[in-house]
Amino acid sequence: MARQRKIPLELYIHIPFCARKCFYCDFLSFRALSKTHEAYIRQLLREIHALAPGCRNYQVVTIFVGGGTPSVLEPELICQVLEAVQADFDVAPDAEISIEVNPGTLLHNKLALYHQAGFNRVSIGLQSADNEELRNLGRIHSFEEFLKSFQSARMAGFQNINVDLMSGIPGQTMDSWKNTLKKVTMLKPEHISSYSLIIEEGTPYWDRYAKGEQNGKKEKQERTQIPEKEDLGLIAEPAELGKRILPPLPDEDTENKMYHLTRQFLKEQGFARYEVSNYARPGFECRHNVGYWTGTEYLGLGLGSSSYMAGYRFCNERGLERYLKLDFEGADWQERLHPQVQHLTRQDKMEEFMFLGLRMTKGISELDFVSAFGVKLESVYGKVISQLIANGLLKREGTRLALTEWGMDVSNFVLSEFLLGD
């Protein structure tokens, strides 16, 4: 009897702790004492052990440890988590195993320990090469500390390094942004993620910029507040933004010029754009993120992490106190761990196939659509596709559909056109 092929699975592991919350950040993250770090990891290990038996038909092809700032923890804690995953799950021999780190949290040979434990990709959060811009973002590091971190990653053996950058930040100019791109590409990382700043409701930036209508075009997103309880070992954030006089944000025209400069400059330096905000040298596209955009199933572990498996989307408990008290041997632990479960309809899956797949520069395959849903793409989206092609926002190349350069520029609008409605 032929052995049944296992289903590819991606793991995302959330570490919600950071050294200090940046002024723009609305992620599920907060500061805490080391005793809380240790209690969280103990509970995370219990969750890994509890969920692994239900994943026997899956093989883990990527692992991504994100946050927060995973590197704020003692490295032994991070290594324990990876060891538990490797022991309890079927991890592919060539799995991409990534960890997010921030300069300023990488003392005591942490990168070497990560590499020895099995991590083979590291993502370093830089954002800007200008120290004043970093201070305006509330970052805890300098560009010089980033350089040391990058060098340490190379010396530790990492041959796959991503650098996170951000444009459209307070006080940034075309010259300073180009200088950031130059300094980073000179280091020859394998991957660069370049995002435009979004002012999120519930952040210090929202109070400073959006309420003053300087940034009314920015998106709103729900943000979960973490209660500051002494018994949980959480630490209140310092009110440092209130003391800073921040410069204005770049205007919309300058932001657009930064966006186009990024695309052209990185192309000249050998980085191919493979997704709206991501650039890589050949062969170094982030496999974990590509999996998200192409429909690979994924399991989230840790506080507030999201999952998509077997046609269901679900999210972990977002309250730290409730998460830490979960009994993984109780009768209802799965319902308590996953209080929000959504069964995706066929329509939901069609929409996601389109607006996730079209984020990638290679677009989507019409043949893959037929294989997934049993109907031709034209029968569902024919009118929308024709209009977008006529308007120069979408292009057809053989049996593939992809955004044009202009379509990439206004991708949020284009992708929204593939929502089918009720």
Side-chain angles (χ1 to χ4, degrees):
M1 181 181 295
R3 184 179 178 183
Q4 184 177 2
R5 185 179 178 184
K6 290 193 172 184
I7 304 166
L9 180 68
E10 302 190 325
L11 293 184
Y12 172 77
I13 302 171
H14 189 64
I15 306 297
F17 308 112
C18 53
R20 184 180 69 190
K21 203 168 178 71
C22 298
F23 301 149
Y24 58 87
C25 178
D26 79 328
F27 293 159
L28 183 57
S29 61
F30 40 87
R31 304 168 76 209
L33 299 174
S34 59
K35 67 175 184 179
T36 306
H37 297 174
E38 294 165 3
Y40 180 81
I41 295 301
R42 286 196 297 270
Q43 186 71 331
L44 182 57
L45 296 177
R46 295 186 190 104
E47 182 186 351
I48 291 169
H49 297 323
L51 289 174
C55 299
R56 297 302 184 214
N57 295 329
Y58 291 87
Q59 183 177 57
V60 175
V61 293
T62 69
I63 302 169
F64 195 101
V65 179
T69 304
S71 55
V72 79
L73 298 185
E74 289 299 317
E76 292 78 10
L77 297 177
I78 294 294
C79 294
Q80 286 175 26
V81 172
L82 186 56
E83 289 168 4
V85 169
Q86 292 169 327
D88 288 359
F89 287 82
D90 176 8
V91 179
D94 66 342
E96 176 191 88
I97 306 177
S98 306
I99 184 169
E100 287 183 332
V101 302
N102 277 345
T105 64
L106 291 171
L107 301 175
H108 311 304
N109 210 29
K110 288 182 179 181
L111 286 163
L113 293 172
Y114 298 154
H115 193 263
Q116 291 169 15
F119 288 96
N120 52 33
R121 184 175 183 274
V122 62
S123 180
I124 307 177
L126 169 61
Q127 316 312 341
S128 171
D130 184 288
N131 286 335
E132 184 61 21
E133 291 175 7
L134 290 174
R135 284 189 286 270
N136 289 336
L137 288 170
R139 304 294 287 180
I140 65 168
H141 63 86
S142 66
F143 178 65
E144 291 72 25
E145 287 174 307
F146 161 77
L147 290 175
K148 292 178 182 177
S149 298
F150 190 95
Q151 182 183 32
S152 295
R154 286 292 192 222
M155 292 177 65
F158 283 100
Q159 299 178 25
N160 191 352
I161 301 177
N162 170 63
V163 179
D164 278 343
L165 300 177
M166 184 176 289
S167 61
I169 62 183
Q172 195 172 54
T173 65
M174 285 295 295
D175 286 342
S176 70
W177 177 236
K178 187 171 186 179
N179 187 51
T180 288
L181 293 173
K182 282 183 177 179
K183 287 184 174 181
V184 170
T185 53
M186 285 176 65
L187 297 171
K188 300 189 182 303
E190 285 69 36
H191 191 285
I192 292 176
S193 297
S194 178
Y195 303 99
S196 296
L197 172 67
I198 293 178
I199 307 295
E200 306 285 13
E201 188 170 5
T203 66
Y205 266 12
W206 178 270
D207 295 335
R208 180 60 57 92
Y209 291 109
K211 286 186 177 179
E213 298 183 351
Q214 296 185 55
N215 205 47
K217 66 182 186 303
K218 301 295 185 180
E219 300 177 7
K220 291 183 180 180
Q221 288 194 9
E222 183 179 352
R223 178 171 180 254
T224 298
Q225 297 287 341
I226 302 298
E228 293 175 358
K229 285 191 174 183
E230 190 174 325
D231 60 341
L232 290 181
L234 302 188
I235 305 172
E237 291 291 331
E240 294 186 21
L241 179 56
K243 303 174 184 177
R244 291 190 63 81
I245 300 175
L246 293 181
L249 297 169
D251 59 35
E252 188 170 354
D253 182 59
T254 301
E255 274 197 65
N256 288 335
K257 288 179 179 177
M258 288 177 178
Y259 172 82
H260 290 289
L261 170 65
T262 305
R263 184 178 64 199
Q264 184 60 36
F265 186 87
L266 292 182
K267 180 180 179 180
E268 293 171 357
Q269 299 301 314
F271 292 87
R273 186 189 198 190
Y274 69 97
E275 190 269 343
V276 173
S277 302
N278 286 276
Y279 303 78
R281 297 191 183 280
F284 287 96
E285 296 83 1
C286 178
R287 288 163 51 192
H288 187 82
N289 286 342
V290 169
Y292 281 148
W293 301 316
T294 55
T296 302
E297 295 184 51
Y298 56 91
L299 175 64
L301 300 163
L303 191 70
S305 58
S306 297
S307 304
Y308 169 63
M309 294 181 70
Y312 288 87
R313 192 174 303 286
F314 47 95
C315 183
N316 275 16
E317 170 59 56
R318 295 178 64 87
L320 179 60
E321 186 173 14
R322 288 189 296 272
Y323 177 78
L324 292 178
K325 288 182 177 180
L326 271 172
D327 178 4
F328 289 103
E329 296 181 357
D332 63 344
W333 68 266
Q334 287 184 305
E335 289 77 11
R336 294 175 63 201
L337 177 64
H338 305 136
Q340 302 175 32
V341 179
Q342 175 193 6
H343 179 251
L344 296 188
T345 65
R346 186 165 178 266
Q347 176 179 307
D348 292 332
K349 294 176 182 178
M350 285 182 176
E351 292 175 346
E352 292 204 356
F353 182 96
M354 298 303 292
F355 63 68
L356 290 178
L358 284 172
R359 289 184 60 89
M360 302 190 66
T361 55
K362 70 176 184 179
I364 57 99
S365 164
E366 296 183 76
L367 299 179
D368 287 347
F369 189 91
V370 174
S371 177
F373 304 109
V375 295
K376 291 184 177 180
L377 184 62
E378 292 290 334
S379 69
V380 181
Y381 288 113
K383 184 177 180 180
V384 171
I385 290 171
S386 296
Q387 290 177 339
L388 292 173
I389 289 176
N391 291 332
L393 297 168
L394 200 63
K395 59 185 177 182
R396 177 178 272 114
E397 297 176 341
T399 59
R400 300 196 71 87
L401 281 174
L403 297 178
T404 62
E405 290 291 352
W406 185 32
M408 281 281 183
D409 292 351
V410 291
S411 60
N412 286 343
F413 164 75
V414 178
L415 300 180
S416 70
E417 292 294 290
F418 290 96
L419 296 174
L420 293 169
D422 297 328

